[in-house]
Amino acid sequence: MCCILMQTKEKLKKILKLSLDSFARNDIKIENINEKLFKLDINIEIPAQRDYGEFSSNISLVSAKLFKKSPRFIAENIIKYVPDFLGVCDYILKYEIAGNGFINFYMNNKFYSEILCEIDKKKENYGKYEQKNKRVLIEFVSSNPTGPMHIGNARLGALGDCLSGILNFFGYEVLTEFYVNDAGNQIQKFGESLSLRYEQIFDKNVEFIEDGYHGEDIKLLAQEFANIHGDKYIKVKSNEREKVLINYALPRNINKIKSDLERYKIFYDSWFYESELYKNNEISNIIQKLEKNNAIYRENNAIWFKATDFGGEKDEILIRTNGIPTYFAADIAYHVNKFVTRNFDMCINIWGADHHGHVARMQAAMNALGINNKILKIIIVQLVSVFRDGNICKMSKRSGQAETFASFLEEVNTDSARIIFNMQNPGSKMVFNINEAIKNDMSNPVYYVKYAYVRLKNIVNLVDNNKKKENFNNINLDLLNSPEERELIFILGMFPEEIASSSCLLDSTKITKYLINLVSWVHKFYQFKKVRSSEINEKLSNSRLFLCKQTIRIMEIIANILKIDMPEKM
RNA sequence: GCGCCGGUAGCUCAGUAGGAUAGAGCAACUGCCUUCUAAGCAGUAGGUCGGGGGUUCGAAUCCCUUUCGGCGUGCCA
């Protein structure tokens, strides 16, 4: 499926290629011209300013070398032949050469009215593509259940959930997943920490361990446990006590994570427990497979993965000298489970920047296991710090100063957070300005967006109430020819392309930026063009109303993808 | 030391797969509500795109180099 805008680009490209071909054939004799033309990187672009037209091509610039002529000269010669092929596209109003050799195309009214009609026809499916039959697993947040989430998880969550919304809308079969690290070393440490805090309640002289979990949350959990069970477990052997405490605390932490994320509008399709990998021997299975593929060796009683043989930076330990598998070994098994057992075609992991060292070795492990026909995409998200009252508080889990996810949610509205996090590229580190995120003006983009929706909705509702039913027979979309109206329509027409490129690039921020741009034109339109004014005739009024309705449609599609509530009134 | 990411307006950030005069918001200043909600719009001011080379019709964007910052470089996860 395609849209008017993309089709038009293709048609213009065709016209230009045919014209260039004519020029080459008739005016210049070059051998194998078709082959050479084929290699040219001819683009149809949307210029930044509309004075340059709706579309613009670099064809004469990129072919300058081939013809050994100036771009301007080539453009003049190409344009001579364009009339021969105008039948290919009936949206062209005029075309001209700009200063340095760009060929600019200006579109007629039909182009604009057909964009609106296309949206009206496809409705909430506008911008959707045919089902790809591609199963995608997207895993994000997956915070450690040994402690509370922090603000960085809010960024990961917003990016992951919105990306899954985009991919789903685009036509992939998407499954969202939270990977629960409920096994391995850190759970032992968790139990040990809990146990010591529990003992300290009854004996102040008990010393805490250096590499334990120092957070207040551990003390609280131990206290809660003591409130229920008293000193009953003091005399129990320490590893027994640790087990009991883990069984008490871990489900509590996981439930807290789950409920916090639900407040943030994230509802996972799946919660995958690391402990399942142990139960099903999946870790020992992958060790065997790796051994078969000659990808491991033994040293000092530990089992190593020859990561360097498969594109990794250095070799990695899979099974420690003490026989306990590393986190990495479990994670390989987890990925094999995704790709082989569950047979996903693409797996997307959204990881914090502190995990980026993990990327190369995981890719290497996939190579070693022959999982090459599948796609593993890892999106690394830089860390978040909080700006509050003029100060930057750096996020740090160990210092205990971290802004927790829960306290963040208390302050910042979920929709604001989702939009703000999705306005900034994952690759750049982020300073989250709390003071601005809780304000009710343009420093908080969520109000800018919602207000635009309310304004349009208000127009539509008022008209509906006044006339009971609008008469779309008495309509002439050619009347929508002001810069404000045209630009708004043009941006609506760009939506399918935005969705497509967001999906291909796995970029959830693109569509948010698009939304902000769309909304700014909604406000301009609202400012300059009255819809239900007595000063304009009914035909124009109806046409503008039609534009409002299609704009609302696109805004609702995006709101749905991003899970932003759009209010009727503010 | 090595690796990954980043450096764009006073601040926070965009910059459409190399394109035309580098853009928003915040902060500052000036206008616009008896007319569909001013949570808005229009305008002014603000820049050596960290520095230096290179590639070409054309570079914030690609390559090299240098500098500064964040992270990683665990038999931690």
Side-chain angles (χ1 to χ4, degrees):
Chain A
M1 197 193 289
C2 216
C3 65
I4 301 270
L5 211 118
M6 286 156 110
Q7 283 164 6
T8 306
K9 277 188 177 182
E10 284 310 307
K11 286 174 183 170
L12 294 176
K13 203 170 188 172
K14 191 173 170 189
I15 290 172
L16 288 171
K17 276 187 170 178
L18 288 168
S19 304
L20 181 63
D21 188 57
S22 296
F23 164 58
R25 229 186 274 279
N26 298 334
D27 304 341
I28 299 189
K29 312 290 180 214
I30 304 181
E31 284 180 35
N32 300 328
I33 190 71
N34 276 327
E35 201 177 300
K36 285 174 178 162
L37 290 184
F38 183 76
K39 283 184 189 162
L40 291 178
D41 187 23
I42 298 164
N43 270 330
I44 304 291
E45 293 163 7
I46 298 171
Q49 293 112 326
R50 215 49 66 228
D51 336 343
Y52 294 135
E54 282 79 4
F55 300 100
S56 171
S57 180
N58 61 354
I59 187 164
S60 49
L61 298 160
V62 295
S63 56
K65 202 167 204 176
L66 179 59
F67 293 110
K68 299 196 177 85
K69 302 279 181 194
S70 78
R72 179 90 202 179
F73 174 82
I74 294 167
E76 278 162 4
N77 278 282
I78 290 174
I79 226 167
K80 273 197 322 207
Y81 293 98
V82 167
D84 296 350
F85 308 107
L86 276 179
V88 172
C89 178
D90 56 356
Y91 298 142
I92 299 172
L93 177 70
K94 60 168 181 166
Y95 50 92
E96 62 189 26
I97 303 168
N100 48 3
F102 280 102
I103 299 177
N104 297 334
F105 290 90
Y106 298 79
M107 298 294 110
N108 59 21
N109 288 335
K110 191 175 181 203
F111 173 74
Y112 285 94
S113 61
E114 290 202 358
I115 288 175
L116 287 181
C117 292
E118 187 180 35
I119 300 168
D120 189 47
K121 197 172 136 203
K122 295 184 178 165
K123 302 193 164 56
E124 67 277 4
N125 292 320
Y126 181 68
K128 258 197 164 91
Y129 285 70
E130 77 277 12
Q131 284 295 325
K132 303 244 155 169
N133 259 344
K134 257 208 165 163
R135 300 178 63 239
V136 179
L137 184 136
I138 174 164
E139 181 230 314
F140 54 96
V141 182
S142 299
S143 63
N144 203 321
T146 53
M149 292 189 291
H150 50 81
I151 188 171
N153 296 124
R155 187 177 191 189
L156 298 174
L159 290 169
D161 205 44
C162 293
L163 180 58
S164 74
I166 289 164
L167 294 176
N168 185 52
F169 180 81
F170 186 67
Y172 290 110
E173 192 183 314
V174 181
L175 189 116
T176 57
E177 184 159 280
F178 188 110
Y179 179 49
V180 186
N181 298 119
D182 65 333
N185 230 5
Q186 88 278 9
I187 295 297
Q188 297 309 316
K189 279 277 178 298
F190 181 56
E192 220 175 312
S193 306
L194 285 164
S195 172
L196 289 169
R197 289 301 188 203
Y198 174 72
E199 287 184 89
Q200 283 179 334
I201 293 168
F202 304 99
D203 180 359
K204 296 267 185 292
N205 296 323
V206 171
E207 270 188 41
F208 201 68
I209 41 171
E210 186 62 34
D211 59 346
Y213 288 99
H214 288 258
E216 287 300 309
D217 55 300
I218 301 289
K219 288 184 191 166
L220 269 167
L221 284 163
Q223 185 62 57
E224 273 177 34
F225 183 84
N227 292 346
I228 298 167
H229 299 286
D231 61 356
K232 199 168 113 190
Y233 287 92
I234 285 291
K235 294 199 175 94
V236 175
K237 269 201 277 180
S238 64
N239 61 339
E240 274 304 310
R241 180 169 57 236
E242 284 165 18
K243 239 179 224 169
V244 173
L245 275 157
I246 290 169
N247 286 338
Y248 172 81
L250 199 58
R252 267 172 206 287
N253 277 359
I254 294 170
N255 282 337
K256 171 72 173 152
I257 287 171
K258 204 176 269 191
S259 64
D260 280 350
L261 286 168
E262 284 175 0
R263 280 179 65 195
Y264 200 51
K265 300 185 187 173
I266 297 177
F267 303 87
Y268 285 94
D269 298 318
S270 158
W271 291 73
F272 191 99
Y273 290 83
E274 185 184 354
S275 54
E276 293 293 314
L277 296 169
Y278 288 83
K279 280 184 202 158
N280 301 332
N281 292 324
E282 293 183 49
I283 295 170
S284 45
N285 287 345
I286 65 115
I287 300 286
Q288 280 174 23
K289 269 185 207 157
L290 286 169
E291 181 146 47
K292 211 179 274 174
N293 294 356
N294 196 26
I296 61 173
Y297 60 89
R298 282 157 227 273
E299 199 176 281
N300 302 332
N301 275 331
I303 299 179
W304 291 73
F305 169 49
K306 291 192 227 172
T308 41
D309 285 4
F310 298 92
E313 287 161 6
K314 57 181 179 50
D315 292 350
E316 307 284 346
I317 292 203
L318 295 172
I319 309 289
R320 301 183 180 92
T321 308
N322 63 13
I324 298 174
T326 59
Y327 168 83
F328 179 48
D331 216 17
I332 295 172
Y334 174 45
H335 281 81
V336 169
N337 182 289
K338 289 175 177 180
F339 278 122
V340 181
T341 312
R342 289 189 281 167
N343 199 25
F344 282 98
D345 301 297
M346 174 161 70
C347 292
I348 302 167
N349 300 337
I350 300 187
W351 287 347
D354 51 339
H355 283 65
H356 79 254
H358 202 50
V359 175
R361 56 175 170 264
M362 185 53 64
Q363 298 281 13
M366 295 300 106
N367 290 341
L369 288 162
I371 305 178
N372 299 327
N373 54 337
K374 310 272 182 166
I375 302 164
L376 174 63
K377 287 280 184 186
I378 299 171
I379 298 171
I380 294 298
V381 183
Q382 296 298 315
L383 302 179
V384 182
S385 47
V386 172
F387 183 89
R388 183 200 302 276
D389 309 328
N391 297 310
I392 289 182
C393 330
K394 271 204 188 149
M395 196 228 63
S396 153
K397 211 171 181 181
R398 299 217 180 268
S399 71
Q401 275 190 338
E403 174 92 13
T404 66
F405 186 69
S407 68
F408 173 74
L409 278 182
E410 287 300 326
E411 278 191 279
V412 182
N413 168 278
T414 293
D415 287 355
S416 305
R418 280 178 161 262
I419 287 196
I420 292 169
F421 281 127
N422 273 292
M423 281 176 67
Q424 190 155 340
N425 294 331
S428 56
K429 64 179 183 231
M430 181 167 194
V431 178
F432 194 100
N433 189 327
I434 293 267
N435 300 107
E436 289 194 348
I438 59 179
K439 276 200 283 187
N440 293 6
D441 56 35
M442 190 36 202
S443 51
N444 186 353
V446 76
Y447 289 97
Y448 191 61
V449 172
K450 293 189 179 195
Y451 187 46
Y453 181 81
V454 167
R455 284 178 137 183
L456 290 178
K457 212 61 188 168
N458 196 37
I459 292 171
V460 169
N461 289 340
L462 280 169
V463 175
D464 283 353
N465 291 341
N466 288 353
K467 295 187 188 166
K468 299 297 177 216
K469 211 173 180 183
E470 69 275 6
N471 178 8
F472 280 145
N473 292 325
N474 187 16
I475 195 168
N476 179 4
L477 296 178
D478 290 351
L479 298 172
L480 304 175
N481 56 13
S482 70
E484 292 84 13
E485 289 157 323
R486 286 194 146 208
E487 194 61 23
L488 182 53
I489 297 168
F490 194 61
I491 290 170
L492 297 178
M494 286 162 70
F495 177 66
E497 208 176 9
E498 289 290 328
I499 279 289
S501 69
S502 300
S503 296
C504 293
L505 299 170
L506 304 180
D507 182 353
S508 62
T509 69
K510 243 172 117 59
I511 209 72
T512 318
K513 292 165 194 162
Y514 168 83
L515 176 65
I516 300 288
N517 185 32
L518 167 62
V519 158
S520 83
W521 282 95
V522 169
H523 285 302
K524 283 184 187 118
F525 167 74
Y526 187 92
Q527 195 73 27
F528 293 109
K529 302 295 162 195
K530 299 295 172 204
V531 177
R532 53 179 222 109
S533 163
S534 55
E535 287 166 28
I536 62 171
N537 65 45
E538 194 187 341
K539 215 166 231 183
L540 180 56
S541 174
N542 282 338
S543 302
R544 286 183 178 160
L545 184 58
F546 191 73
L547 170 56
C548 291
K549 292 212 162 185
Q550 306 318 325
T551 308
I552 286 171
R553 211 162 241 160
I554 304 292
M555 289 186 75
E556 284 174 349
I557 292 172
I558 299 174
N560 210 20
I561 290 172
L562 301 178
K563 294 188 192 162
I564 306 295
D565 291 323
M566 288 297 193
E568 297 269 325
K569 292 227 177 303
M570 279 172 81

